Amino acid sequence: KWKGEGTTQNLESIVIGRCYDYIRVVNPAVGEKNCSQIWEAFKNAFINKDPCSILPEDYELFISLTFHTIPPNKSLFWENNQLLVNSFANRGRRFMSLGDTLFGFVGDFLNWCGQADSPGLDYESCPTTMECENNAVESFWRMASITYAQQSSGVIHVLLNGSADRGAYPQPGFFADYEIPNLQKDKISQIVIWVVDDIGGPDIDSCGTRTVKTLETRLETLGYDVTCTDNHKSVMFLLCLD
């Protein structure tokens, strides 16, 4: 038995339903997609396999079936503030974060894994990243993050949490390890960093200090035009509202 929670109940119905919701309601501009084929590709990435031997590449077919372009200037990367990003991006209306793409939307907040000798899903427990890195969910988000970064263009925004314990820019982290290395420099005009503290939370990290300084230096060394703002007003209004 693993330490993580098991597969989300009704996973197949949720994935197929989200797929239709996305192409019909959320973002019909992506065009027609085969939602039952997408489910099969998703499931076949991890079914009948050791739940600690799933690689990002196993999701390649799923990514190619869900693939669509990301509008320029709409990418919003983040660390440690998923709910804030979801409400700020507003399902792609303001920004298109990873969770607002079809491939991210389908998997958001879900859990899943299979078993080595069974075609079924494991509803009892799934491995955590501490137990093994190559688990079904971790590898899924790695592949999704890589694809998202590769498709981002124009002005790139990054929303970081200045109250996070490990600092606003965690290393290791998805942004540090999978997204920055896969940005396509020739397609990007500027990177805008927003560091936002929780309301009433500690001000642990800010532009030009600690981990944010590390990030700014890394991006500038890579040749990007970088700007950074603390407590960007429109995001603060949303936090206050909540």
mmCIF file of all heavy atoms in Angstrom, residues 125-174:
data_model
loop_
_atom_site.group_PDB
_atom_site.id
_atom_site.type_symbol
_atom_site.label_atom_id
_atom_site.label_comp_id
_atom_site.label_asym_id
_atom_site.label_seq_id
_atom_site.Cartn_x
_atom_site.Cartn_y
_atom_site.Cartn_z
ATOM 1 N N SER A 125 -4.608 3.281 -3.110
ATOM 2 C CA SER A 125 -3.483 4.178 -2.840
ATOM 3 C C SER A 125 -2.612 4.302 -4.075
ATOM 4 O O SER A 125 -2.578 3.410 -4.920
ATOM 5 C CB SER A 125 -2.644 3.645 -1.673
ATOM 6 O OG SER A 125 -2.059 2.409 -2.031
ATOM 7 N N CYS A 126 -1.893 5.431 -4.167
ATOM 8 C CA CYS A 126 -0.940 5.665 -5.246
ATOM 9 C C CYS A 126 0.347 6.206 -4.629
ATOM 10 O O CYS A 126 0.314 6.848 -3.583
ATOM 11 C CB CYS A 126 -1.483 6.687 -6.249
ATOM 12 S SG CYS A 126 -2.888 6.074 -7.217
ATOM 13 N N PRO A 127 1.489 5.978 -5.288
ATOM 14 C CA PRO A 127 2.743 6.458 -4.711
ATOM 15 C C PRO A 127 2.848 7.982 -4.705
ATOM 16 O O PRO A 127 2.399 8.650 -5.640
ATOM 17 C CB PRO A 127 3.816 5.852 -5.618
ATOM 18 C CG PRO A 127 3.123 5.424 -6.856
ATOM 19 C CD PRO A 127 1.698 5.184 -6.515
ATOM 20 N N THR A 128 3.421 8.507 -3.650
ATOM 21 C CA THR A 128 3.710 9.946 -3.591
ATOM 22 C C THR A 128 5.055 10.181 -4.287
ATOM 23 O O THR A 128 5.803 9.240 -4.548
ATOM 24 C CB THR A 128 3.851 10.414 -2.131
ATOM 25 O OG1 THR A 128 4.965 9.709 -1.559
ATOM 26 C CG2 THR A 128 2.593 10.124 -1.319
ATOM 27 N N THR A 129 5.373 11.440 -4.553
ATOM 28 C CA THR A 129 6.658 11.770 -5.181
ATOM 29 C C THR A 129 7.818 11.426 -4.253
ATOM 30 O O THR A 129 8.911 11.078 -4.698
ATOM 31 C CB THR A 129 6.682 13.260 -5.567
ATOM 32 O OG1 THR A 129 5.568 13.473 -6.441
ATOM 33 C CG2 THR A 129 7.957 13.630 -6.298
ATOM 34 N N MET A 130 7.568 11.484 -2.925
ATOM 35 C CA MET A 130 8.602 11.087 -1.962
ATOM 36 C C MET A 130 8.911 9.593 -2.108
ATOM 37 O O MET A 130 10.057 9.166 -1.973
ATOM 38 C CB MET A 130 8.147 11.361 -0.522
ATOM 39 C CG MET A 130 7.923 12.825 -0.191
ATOM 40 S SD MET A 130 9.422 13.809 -0.318
ATOM 41 C CE MET A 130 10.214 13.348 1.226
ATOM 42 N N GLU A 131 7.888 8.791 -2.387
ATOM 43 C CA GLU A 131 8.096 7.341 -2.518
ATOM 44 C C GLU A 131 8.791 6.984 -3.829
ATOM 45 O O GLU A 131 9.635 6.095 -3.862
ATOM 46 C CB GLU A 131 6.752 6.610 -2.409
ATOM 47 C CG GLU A 131 6.166 6.639 -1.013
ATOM 48 C CD GLU A 131 4.790 5.989 -0.942
ATOM 49 O OE1 GLU A 131 3.825 6.584 -1.460
ATOM 50 O OE2 GLU A 131 4.705 4.894 -0.385
ATOM 51 N N CYS A 132 8.391 7.642 -4.900
ATOM 52 C CA CYS A 132 9.081 7.454 -6.183
ATOM 53 C C CYS A 132 8.738 8.605 -7.113
ATOM 54 O O CYS A 132 7.583 9.018 -7.209
ATOM 55 C CB CYS A 132 8.730 6.117 -6.824
ATOM 56 S SG CYS A 132 6.985 5.851 -7.183
ATOM 57 N N GLU A 133 9.767 9.115 -7.793
ATOM 58 C CA GLU A 133 9.561 10.286 -8.650
ATOM 59 C C GLU A 133 8.808 9.940 -9.925
ATOM 60 O O GLU A 133 8.051 10.754 -10.441
ATOM 61 C CB GLU A 133 10.917 10.909 -9.011
ATOM 62 C CG GLU A 133 11.516 11.685 -7.861
ATOM 63 C CD GLU A 133 12.562 12.690 -8.325
ATOM 64 O OE1 GLU A 133 12.828 12.749 -9.534
ATOM 65 O OE2 GLU A 133 13.082 13.404 -7.462
ATOM 66 N N ASN A 134 9.057 8.743 -10.451
ATOM 67 C CA ASN A 134 8.437 8.386 -11.738
ATOM 68 C C ASN A 134 7.052 7.782 -11.549
ATOM 69 O O ASN A 134 6.769 6.680 -12.010
ATOM 70 C CB ASN A 134 9.338 7.419 -12.513
ATOM 71 C CG ASN A 134 10.623 8.094 -12.957
ATOM 72 O OD1 ASN A 134 10.646 9.300 -13.167
ATOM 73 N ND2 ASN A 134 11.686 7.329 -13.075
ATOM 74 N N ASN A 135 6.198 8.520 -10.835
ATOM 75 C CA ASN A 135 4.828 8.037 -10.674
ATOM 76 C C ASN A 135 3.937 8.668 -11.750
ATOM 77 O O ASN A 135 4.351 9.604 -12.444
ATOM 78 C CB ASN A 135 4.314 8.290 -9.256
ATOM 79 C CG ASN A 135 4.159 9.762 -8.928
ATOM 80 O OD1 ASN A 135 3.384 10.478 -9.556
ATOM 81 N ND2 ASN A 135 4.905 10.238 -7.932
ATOM 82 N N ALA A 136 2.716 8.155 -11.879
ATOM 83 C CA ALA A 136 1.857 8.526 -13.005
ATOM 84 C C ALA A 136 1.514 10.008 -13.028
ATOM 85 O O ALA A 136 1.500 10.631 -14.090
ATOM 86 C CB ALA A 136 0.579 7.682 -12.960
ATOM 87 N N VAL A 137 1.252 10.586 -11.862
ATOM 88 C CA VAL A 137 0.825 11.990 -11.808
ATOM 89 C C VAL A 137 2.011 12.932 -12.016
ATOM 90 O O VAL A 137 1.948 13.880 -12.800
ATOM 91 C CB VAL A 137 0.104 12.286 -10.475
ATOM 92 C CG1 VAL A 137 -0.241 13.762 -10.350
ATOM 93 C CG2 VAL A 137 -1.166 11.435 -10.367
ATOM 94 N N GLU A 138 3.114 12.661 -11.322
ATOM 95 C CA GLU A 138 4.314 13.501 -11.444
ATOM 96 C C GLU A 138 4.802 13.557 -12.898
ATOM 97 O O GLU A 138 5.106 14.628 -13.431
ATOM 98 C CB GLU A 138 5.404 12.937 -10.527
ATOM 99 C CG GLU A 138 6.694 13.724 -10.507
ATOM 100 C CD GLU A 138 6.658 14.954 -9.599
ATOM 101 O OE1 GLU A 138 5.663 15.150 -8.865
ATOM 102 O OE2 GLU A 138 7.620 15.730 -9.639
ATOM 103 N N SER A 139 4.854 12.391 -13.544
ATOM 104 C CA SER A 139 5.339 12.340 -14.929
ATOM 105 C C SER A 139 4.371 13.041 -15.883
ATOM 106 O O SER A 139 4.791 13.669 -16.859
ATOM 107 C CB SER A 139 5.565 10.891 -15.357
ATOM 108 O OG SER A 139 6.678 10.363 -14.662
ATOM 109 N N PHE A 140 3.082 12.936 -15.590
ATOM 110 C CA PHE A 140 2.080 13.650 -16.387
ATOM 111 C C PHE A 140 2.340 15.156 -16.356
ATOM 112 O O PHE A 140 2.404 15.823 -17.391
ATOM 113 C CB PHE A 140 0.683 13.358 -15.826
ATOM 114 C CG PHE A 140 -0.418 14.164 -16.475
ATOM 115 C CD1 PHE A 140 -1.063 13.703 -17.615
ATOM 116 C CD2 PHE A 140 -0.833 15.386 -15.936
ATOM 117 C CE1 PHE A 140 -2.077 14.445 -18.220
ATOM 118 C CE2 PHE A 140 -1.838 16.133 -16.524
ATOM 119 C CZ PHE A 140 -2.463 15.654 -17.675
ATOM 120 N N TRP A 141 2.523 15.704 -15.140
ATOM 121 C CA TRP A 141 2.703 17.158 -15.019
ATOM 122 C C TRP A 141 4.060 17.609 -15.551
ATOM 123 O O TRP A 141 4.200 18.734 -16.033
ATOM 124 C CB TRP A 141 2.466 17.609 -13.570
ATOM 125 C CG TRP A 141 1.009 17.556 -13.237
ATOM 126 C CD1 TRP A 141 0.385 16.734 -12.336
ATOM 127 C CD2 TRP A 141 -0.038 18.329 -13.854
ATOM 128 N NE1 TRP A 141 -0.969 16.939 -12.349
ATOM 129 C CE2 TRP A 141 -1.263 17.916 -13.265
ATOM 130 C CE3 TRP A 141 -0.074 19.313 -14.831
ATOM 131 C CZ2 TRP A 141 -2.502 18.457 -13.640
ATOM 132 C CZ3 TRP A 141 -1.297 19.862 -15.207
ATOM 133 C CH2 TRP A 141 -2.493 19.439 -14.609
ATOM 134 N N ARG A 142 5.051 16.729 -15.499
ATOM 135 C CA ARG A 142 6.331 17.075 -16.123
ATOM 136 C C ARG A 142 6.145 17.240 -17.635
ATOM 137 O O ARG A 142 6.605 18.220 -18.218
ATOM 138 C CB ARG A 142 7.375 15.996 -15.847
ATOM 139 C CG ARG A 142 7.892 16.058 -14.427
ATOM 140 C CD ARG A 142 8.922 14.979 -14.171
ATOM 141 N NE ARG A 142 9.284 14.996 -12.752
ATOM 142 C CZ ARG A 142 10.071 14.107 -12.188
ATOM 143 N NH1 ARG A 142 10.576 13.123 -12.898
ATOM 144 N NH2 ARG A 142 10.358 14.193 -10.903
ATOM 145 N N MET A 143 5.477 16.265 -18.237
ATOM 146 C CA MET A 143 5.268 16.317 -19.696
ATOM 147 C C MET A 143 4.412 17.525 -20.073
ATOM 148 O O MET A 143 4.696 18.232 -21.050
ATOM 149 C CB MET A 143 4.593 15.012 -20.158
ATOM 150 C CG MET A 143 4.543 14.857 -21.657
ATOM 151 S SD MET A 143 6.206 14.631 -22.334
ATOM 152 C CE MET A 143 5.857 14.826 -24.073
ATOM 153 N N ALA A 144 3.370 17.776 -19.285
ATOM 154 C CA ALA A 144 2.483 18.920 -19.551
ATOM 155 C C ALA A 144 3.249 20.235 -19.399
ATOM 156 O O ALA A 144 3.105 21.155 -20.227
ATOM 157 C CB ALA A 144 1.282 18.878 -18.602
ATOM 158 N N SER A 145 4.096 20.336 -18.381
ATOM 159 C CA SER A 145 4.888 21.547 -18.140
ATOM 160 C C SER A 145 5.876 21.809 -19.272
ATOM 161 O O SER A 145 6.047 22.951 -19.718
ATOM 162 C CB SER A 145 5.660 21.432 -16.819
ATOM 163 O OG SER A 145 4.772 21.454 -15.731
ATOM 164 N N ILE A 146 6.529 20.749 -19.725
ATOM 165 C CA ILE A 146 7.492 20.874 -20.831
ATOM 166 C C ILE A 146 6.779 21.387 -22.078
ATOM 167 O O ILE A 146 7.228 22.338 -22.738
ATOM 168 C CB ILE A 146 8.172 19.507 -21.100
ATOM 169 C CG1 ILE A 146 9.121 19.157 -19.957
ATOM 170 C CG2 ILE A 146 8.899 19.506 -22.442
ATOM 171 C CD1 ILE A 146 9.572 17.697 -19.926
ATOM 172 N N THR A 147 5.629 20.780 -22.400
ATOM 173 C CA THR A 147 4.858 21.175 -23.585
ATOM 174 C C THR A 147 4.396 22.621 -23.472
ATOM 175 O O THR A 147 4.499 23.402 -24.427
ATOM 176 C CB THR A 147 3.632 20.243 -23.736
ATOM 177 O OG1 THR A 147 4.071 18.889 -23.733
ATOM 178 C CG2 THR A 147 2.876 20.535 -25.023
ATOM 179 N N TYR A 148 3.898 22.979 -22.294
ATOM 180 C CA TYR A 148 3.398 24.337 -22.053
ATOM 181 C C TYR A 148 4.505 25.375 -22.260
ATOM 182 O O TYR A 148 4.325 26.395 -22.927
ATOM 183 C CB TYR A 148 2.839 24.411 -20.629
ATOM 184 C CG TYR A 148 2.272 25.750 -20.243
ATOM 185 C CD1 TYR A 148 1.064 26.189 -20.784
ATOM 186 C CD2 TYR A 148 2.929 26.563 -19.320
ATOM 187 C CE1 TYR A 148 0.525 27.424 -20.419
ATOM 188 C CE2 TYR A 148 2.396 27.790 -18.947
ATOM 189 C CZ TYR A 148 1.197 28.211 -19.506
ATOM 190 O OH TYR A 148 0.666 29.431 -19.142
ATOM 191 N N ALA A 149 5.684 25.097 -21.696
ATOM 192 C CA ALA A 149 6.813 26.029 -21.827
ATOM 193 C C ALA A 149 7.240 26.173 -23.287
ATOM 194 O O ALA A 149 7.500 27.280 -23.766
ATOM 195 C CB ALA A 149 7.984 25.548 -20.975
ATOM 196 N N GLN A 150 7.276 25.052 -23.993
ATOM 197 C CA GLN A 150 7.706 25.092 -25.399
ATOM 198 C C GLN A 150 6.760 25.915 -26.273
ATOM 199 O O GLN A 150 7.172 26.520 -27.256
ATOM 200 C CB GLN A 150 7.812 23.660 -25.955
ATOM 201 C CG GLN A 150 8.994 22.887 -25.398
ATOM 202 C CD GLN A 150 8.933 21.409 -25.751
ATOM 203 O OE1 GLN A 150 7.877 20.872 -26.136
ATOM 204 N NE2 GLN A 150 10.072 20.723 -25.605
ATOM 205 N N GLN A 151 5.482 25.947 -25.886
ATOM 206 C CA GLN A 151 4.472 26.636 -26.698
ATOM 207 C C GLN A 151 4.241 28.091 -26.293
ATOM 208 O O GLN A 151 3.456 28.791 -26.909
ATOM 209 C CB GLN A 151 3.133 25.883 -26.621
ATOM 210 C CG GLN A 151 3.164 24.498 -27.232
ATOM 211 C CD GLN A 151 3.696 24.538 -28.653
ATOM 212 O OE1 GLN A 151 3.238 25.314 -29.488
ATOM 213 N NE2 GLN A 151 4.698 23.715 -28.943
ATOM 214 N N SER A 152 4.898 28.545 -25.223
ATOM 215 C CA SER A 152 4.675 29.902 -24.721
ATOM 216 C C SER A 152 5.460 30.918 -25.537
ATOM 217 O O SER A 152 6.601 30.654 -25.936
ATOM 218 C CB SER A 152 5.077 29.985 -23.254
ATOM 219 O OG SER A 152 4.217 29.176 -22.474
ATOM 220 N N SER A 153 4.844 32.088 -25.788
ATOM 221 C CA SER A 153 5.517 33.096 -26.606
ATOM 222 C C SER A 153 5.084 34.503 -26.206
ATOM 223 O O SER A 153 4.127 34.684 -25.456
ATOM 224 C CB SER A 153 5.192 32.864 -28.087
ATOM 225 O OG SER A 153 3.811 33.065 -28.324
ATOM 226 N N GLY A 154 5.838 35.503 -26.720
ATOM 227 C CA GLY A 154 5.523 36.900 -26.422
ATOM 228 C C GLY A 154 5.999 37.286 -25.037
ATOM 229 O O GLY A 154 7.092 36.912 -24.617
ATOM 230 N N VAL A 155 5.138 38.027 -24.319
ATOM 231 C CA VAL A 155 5.459 38.404 -22.935
ATOM 232 C C VAL A 155 5.004 37.264 -22.020
ATOM 233 O O VAL A 155 3.840 36.863 -22.048
ATOM 234 C CB VAL A 155 4.754 39.717 -22.527
ATOM 235 C CG1 VAL A 155 5.089 40.080 -21.081
ATOM 236 C CG2 VAL A 155 5.154 40.849 -23.466
ATOM 237 N N ILE A 156 5.929 36.736 -21.247
ATOM 238 C CA ILE A 156 5.650 35.614 -20.342
ATOM 239 C C ILE A 156 5.470 36.173 -18.929
ATOM 240 O O ILE A 156 6.273 36.983 -18.477
ATOM 241 C CB ILE A 156 6.862 34.653 -20.320
ATOM 242 C CG1 ILE A 156 7.198 34.143 -21.718
ATOM 243 C CG2 ILE A 156 6.640 33.512 -19.345
ATOM 244 C CD1 ILE A 156 6.193 33.245 -22.319
ATOM 245 N N HIS A 157 4.430 35.733 -18.231
ATOM 246 C CA HIS A 157 4.217 36.157 -16.841
ATOM 247 C C HIS A 157 4.459 34.987 -15.891
ATOM 248 O O HIS A 157 4.122 33.845 -16.212
ATOM 249 C CB HIS A 157 2.796 36.699 -16.645
ATOM 250 C CG HIS A 157 2.574 38.012 -17.316
ATOM 251 N ND1 HIS A 157 2.256 38.116 -18.658
ATOM 252 C CD2 HIS A 157 2.657 39.286 -16.850
ATOM 253 C CE1 HIS A 157 2.143 39.401 -18.974
ATOM 254 N NE2 HIS A 157 2.380 40.124 -17.896
ATOM 255 N N VAL A 158 5.033 35.308 -14.738
ATOM 256 C CA VAL A 158 5.284 34.303 -13.704
ATOM 257 C C VAL A 158 4.754 34.850 -12.388
ATOM 258 O O VAL A 158 5.166 35.921 -11.953
ATOM 259 C CB VAL A 158 6.804 34.038 -13.535
ATOM 260 C CG1 VAL A 158 7.023 32.877 -12.572
ATOM 261 C CG2 VAL A 158 7.467 33.778 -14.870
ATOM 262 N N LEU A 159 3.818 34.133 -11.764
ATOM 263 C CA LEU A 159 3.225 34.576 -10.502
ATOM 264 C C LEU A 159 3.766 33.721 -9.360
ATOM 265 O O LEU A 159 3.535 32.507 -9.324
ATOM 266 C CB LEU A 159 1.696 34.476 -10.581
ATOM 267 C CG LEU A 159 0.897 34.961 -9.374
ATOM 268 C CD1 LEU A 159 1.245 36.392 -8.994
ATOM 269 C CD2 LEU A 159 -0.606 34.859 -9.655
ATOM 270 N N LEU A 160 4.518 34.347 -8.464
ATOM 271 C CA LEU A 160 5.175 33.627 -7.372
ATOM 272 C C LEU A 160 4.628 34.080 -6.023
ATOM 273 O O LEU A 160 4.160 35.208 -5.881
ATOM 274 C CB LEU A 160 6.685 33.864 -7.428
ATOM 275 C CG LEU A 160 7.379 33.435 -8.728
ATOM 276 C CD1 LEU A 160 8.848 33.814 -8.703
ATOM 277 C CD2 LEU A 160 7.214 31.937 -8.974
ATOM 278 N N ASN A 161 4.709 33.183 -5.041
ATOM 279 C CA ASN A 161 4.178 33.453 -3.710
ATOM 280 C C ASN A 161 5.305 33.920 -2.778
ATOM 281 O O ASN A 161 6.167 33.134 -2.380
ATOM 282 C CB ASN A 161 3.524 32.173 -3.170
ATOM 283 C CG ASN A 161 2.837 32.382 -1.846
ATOM 284 O OD1 ASN A 161 3.125 33.331 -1.129
ATOM 285 N ND2 ASN A 161 1.919 31.485 -1.506
ATOM 286 N N GLY A 162 5.296 35.215 -2.430
ATOM 287 C CA GLY A 162 6.331 35.792 -1.579
ATOM 288 C C GLY A 162 6.256 35.340 -0.130
ATOM 289 O O GLY A 162 7.137 35.659 0.668
ATOM 290 N N SER A 163 5.189 34.599 0.234
ATOM 291 C CA SER A 163 5.039 34.096 1.609
ATOM 292 C C SER A 163 5.374 32.608 1.738
ATOM 293 O O SER A 163 5.222 32.036 2.813
ATOM 294 C CB SER A 163 3.605 34.322 2.097
ATOM 295 O OG SER A 163 3.287 35.695 2.095
ATOM 296 N N ALA A 164 5.805 31.987 0.646
ATOM 297 C CA ALA A 164 6.074 30.539 0.680
ATOM 298 C C ALA A 164 7.304 30.226 1.539
ATOM 299 O O ALA A 164 8.309 30.929 1.467
ATOM 300 C CB ALA A 164 6.279 30.014 -0.739
ATOM 301 N N ASP A 165 7.210 29.159 2.332
ATOM 302 C CA ASP A 165 8.280 28.769 3.264
ATOM 303 C C ASP A 165 9.632 28.624 2.580
ATOM 304 O O ASP A 165 10.648 29.090 3.077
ATOM 305 C CB ASP A 165 7.955 27.418 3.929
ATOM 306 C CG ASP A 165 6.774 27.546 4.873
ATOM 307 O OD1 ASP A 165 6.456 28.687 5.250
ATOM 308 O OD2 ASP A 165 6.176 26.513 5.210
ATOM 309 N N ARG A 166 9.627 27.922 1.437
ATOM 310 C CA ARG A 166 10.893 27.622 0.759
ATOM 311 C C ARG A 166 11.331 28.760 -0.161
ATOM 312 O O ARG A 166 12.260 28.604 -0.947
ATOM 313 C CB ARG A 166 10.759 26.334 -0.058
ATOM 314 C CG ARG A 166 10.658 25.066 0.769
ATOM 315 C CD ARG A 166 10.264 23.860 -0.071
ATOM 316 N NE ARG A 166 11.109 23.679 -1.244
ATOM 317 C CZ ARG A 166 10.676 23.230 -2.416
ATOM 318 N NH1 ARG A 166 9.399 22.953 -2.589
ATOM 319 N NH2 ARG A 166 11.505 23.075 -3.418
ATOM 320 N N GLY A 167 10.658 29.883 -0.074
ATOM 321 C CA GLY A 167 10.976 30.988 -0.966
ATOM 322 C C GLY A 167 10.066 30.984 -2.177
ATOM 323 O O GLY A 167 9.441 29.971 -2.516
ATOM 324 N N ALA A 168 9.982 32.121 -2.847
ATOM 325 C CA ALA A 168 9.053 32.285 -3.968
ATOM 326 C C ALA A 168 9.432 31.416 -5.169
ATOM 327 O O ALA A 168 8.577 30.987 -5.938
ATOM 328 C CB ALA A 168 9.007 33.755 -4.380
ATOM 329 N N TYR A 169 10.733 31.168 -5.317
ATOM 330 C CA TYR A 169 11.232 30.395 -6.470
ATOM 331 C C TYR A 169 11.890 29.113 -5.960
ATOM 332 O O TYR A 169 13.085 29.082 -5.683
ATOM 333 C CB TYR A 169 12.232 31.266 -7.243
ATOM 334 C CG TYR A 169 13.024 30.564 -8.315
ATOM 335 C CD1 TYR A 169 12.403 29.920 -9.378
ATOM 336 C CD2 TYR A 169 14.424 30.556 -8.264
ATOM 337 C CE1 TYR A 169 13.146 29.286 -10.368
ATOM 338 C CE2 TYR A 169 15.183 29.930 -9.252
ATOM 339 C CZ TYR A 169 14.533 29.291 -10.298
ATOM 340 O OH TYR A 169 15.272 28.667 -11.280
ATOM 341 N N PRO A 170 11.100 28.043 -5.783
ATOM 342 C CA PRO A 170 11.652 26.812 -5.200
ATOM 343 C C PRO A 170 12.535 26.050 -6.184
ATOM 344 O O PRO A 170 12.233 25.967 -7.378
ATOM 345 C CB PRO A 170 10.401 25.993 -4.849
ATOM 346 C CG PRO A 170 9.331 26.507 -5.740
ATOM 347 C CD PRO A 170 9.668 27.936 -6.071
ATOM 348 N N GLN A 171 13.645 25.528 -5.662
ATOM 349 C CA GLN A 171 14.495 24.625 -6.424
ATOM 350 C C GLN A 171 14.784 23.413 -5.550
ATOM 351 O O GLN A 171 15.275 23.605 -4.442
ATOM 352 C CB GLN A 171 15.820 25.305 -6.780
ATOM 353 C CG GLN A 171 15.682 26.434 -7.779
ATOM 354 C CD GLN A 171 17.028 27.113 -8.000
ATOM 355 O OE1 GLN A 171 17.456 27.923 -7.193
ATOM 356 N NE2 GLN A 171 17.697 26.754 -9.076
ATOM 357 N N PRO A 172 14.499 22.187 -5.990
ATOM 358 C CA PRO A 172 13.853 21.884 -7.272
ATOM 359 C C PRO A 172 12.399 22.341 -7.307
ATOM 360 O O PRO A 172 11.757 22.527 -6.277
ATOM 361 C CB PRO A 172 13.947 20.357 -7.342
ATOM 362 C CG PRO A 172 14.047 19.909 -5.913
ATOM 363 C CD PRO A 172 14.799 20.995 -5.192
ATOM 364 N N GLY A 173 11.882 22.492 -8.529
ATOM 365 C CA GLY A 173 10.496 22.899 -8.727
ATOM 366 C C GLY A 173 10.159 22.771 -10.205
ATOM 367 O O GLY A 173 11.058 22.715 -11.050
ATOM 368 N N PHE A 174 8.883 22.729 -10.516
ATOM 369 C CA PHE A 174 8.471 22.560 -11.921
ATOM 370 C C PHE A 174 8.946 23.725 -12.798
ATOM 371 O O PHE A 174 9.420 23.525 -13.908
ATOM 372 C CB PHE A 174 6.954 22.417 -12.025
ATOM 373 C CG PHE A 174 6.490 21.004 -11.829
ATOM 374 C CD1 PHE A 174 6.294 20.496 -10.553
ATOM 375 C CD2 PHE A 174 6.276 20.174 -12.913
ATOM 376 C CE1 PHE A 174 5.896 19.178 -10.366
ATOM 377 C CE2 PHE A 174 5.867 18.856 -12.747
ATOM 378 C CZ PHE A 174 5.675 18.362 -11.463
#
